[in-house]
């Protein structure tokens, strides 16, 4: 379902060229749960950006849903991304001026879902993640663990096939981190493909497969 073929990504800053991904080949099947690990700067976030169609490779191919999307324009990538890929990050990236409900609903507004259905789906998703009673709160009124649950609700409310998580437990204490990990396992058991970057060996071990990166390449 997601396949990189000798994918290379470089960043040019002045005279310095950094090869963030160096001819990476990788296949992730629908329904898999994969952890990506490796030292800081090895290319984990770059890999996630490319898998999530936020960025395009400089060389090689990226097959997403049976199409090679390498080299496509940003407008085409965002079209492909919509409704197919959800993201969660270490910093929850919630909008403070909106309530919990509104934060989740915004994802559906972007997708053009009518208001009545939006409200139904937001309520269902907040219920599923155990935060329905916090719907009217602002993000800062919640604990970190609750904020990450709101971010997960926002990522999943469009029912994406793939969830990409960049250190989703990085800002959480271990109890809240474990809670988020349990939620991810449940989501994966329901069929969502998950690719998660993590620094925690314990959390990586909870994924079905671990991919190690070093200097932009997959460690064998
Ligand atoms: P990780 O997520 O494993 O810490 P990254 O994917 O963020 O690694 O970065 C891989 C390499 O690419 C690093 O050397 C980083 O400095 C470089 N890099 C990442 N993004 C950019 C960018 N936008 N501009 C220049 N260099 C970048």
């Amino acid at each position: 379902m997601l396949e990189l073929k000798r994918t290379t990504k470089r960043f040019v800053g002045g005279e310095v060229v950094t090869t963030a991904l160096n001819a990476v080949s990788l296949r992730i099947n629908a329904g898999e749960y994969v952890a990506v690990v490796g030292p800081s700067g090895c290319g984990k976030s770059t890999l996630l950006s490319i898998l999530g169609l936020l960025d395009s490779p400089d060389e090689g191919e990226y097959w997403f849903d049976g199409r090679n999307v390498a080299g496509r324009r940003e407008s085409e990538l965002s079209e492909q991304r919509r409704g197919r890929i959800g993201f969660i990050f270490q910093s929850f990236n919630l909008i403070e001026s909106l309530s919990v409900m509104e934060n989740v609903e915004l994802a559906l507004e972007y997708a053009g879902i009518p208001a009545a259905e939006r409200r139904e789906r937001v309520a269902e998703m907040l219920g599923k993640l155990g935060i329905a009673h916090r719907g009217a709160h602002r993000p800062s009124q919640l604990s970190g663990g609750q904020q990450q649950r709101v971010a997960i609700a926002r990522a999943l409310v469009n029912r994406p096939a793939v969830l990409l998580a960049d250190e989703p437990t990085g800002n959480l204490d271990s109890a809240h981190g474990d809670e988020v990990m349990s939620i991810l396992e449940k989501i994966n058991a329901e069929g969502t493909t998950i690719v998660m970057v993590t620094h925690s060996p314990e959390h990586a071990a909870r994924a079905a497969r671990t991919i190690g990166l070093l200097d932009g390449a997959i460690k064998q």
Side-chain angles (χ1 to χ4, degrees), residues 82-83 105-114 118 121 157-158:
R82 189 171 309 145
E105 188 177 352
L106 195 58
L108 292 172
E109 278 180 53
Y110 289 142
I113 309 288
R118 288 203 302 264
R121 279 169 65 172
V157 75
N158 276 314

Side-chain angles (χ1 to χ4, degrees), residues 73-151:
R73 285 197 310 273
E74 166 53 32
S75 57
E76 286 177 273
L77 293 181
S78 69
E79 187 57 40
Q80 282 264 309
R81 201 159 63 219
R82 189 171 309 145
R84 298 289 296 149
I85 304 176
F87 292 90
I88 54 174
F89 303 93
Q90 175 173 356
S91 52
F92 320 115
N93 293 358
L94 299 171
I95 300 171
E96 182 56 27
S97 59
L98 300 180
S99 70
V100 161
M101 268 186 300
E102 289 164 343
N103 264 281
V104 179
E105 188 177 352
L106 195 58
L108 292 172
E109 278 180 53
Y110 289 142
I113 309 288
E117 188 185 339
R118 288 203 302 264
R119 280 192 287 276
E120 225 169 83
R121 279 169 65 172
V122 169
E124 182 194 333
M125 194 51 73
L126 292 181
K128 188 172 168 187
L129 290 168
I131 39 173
H133 59 303
R134 295 283 184 260
H137 287 60
R138 302 280 156 177
S140 64
Q141 295 175 302
L142 307 182
S143 72
Q146 288 171 331
Q147 289 186 52
Q148 191 59 300
R149 282 195 260 163
V150 176

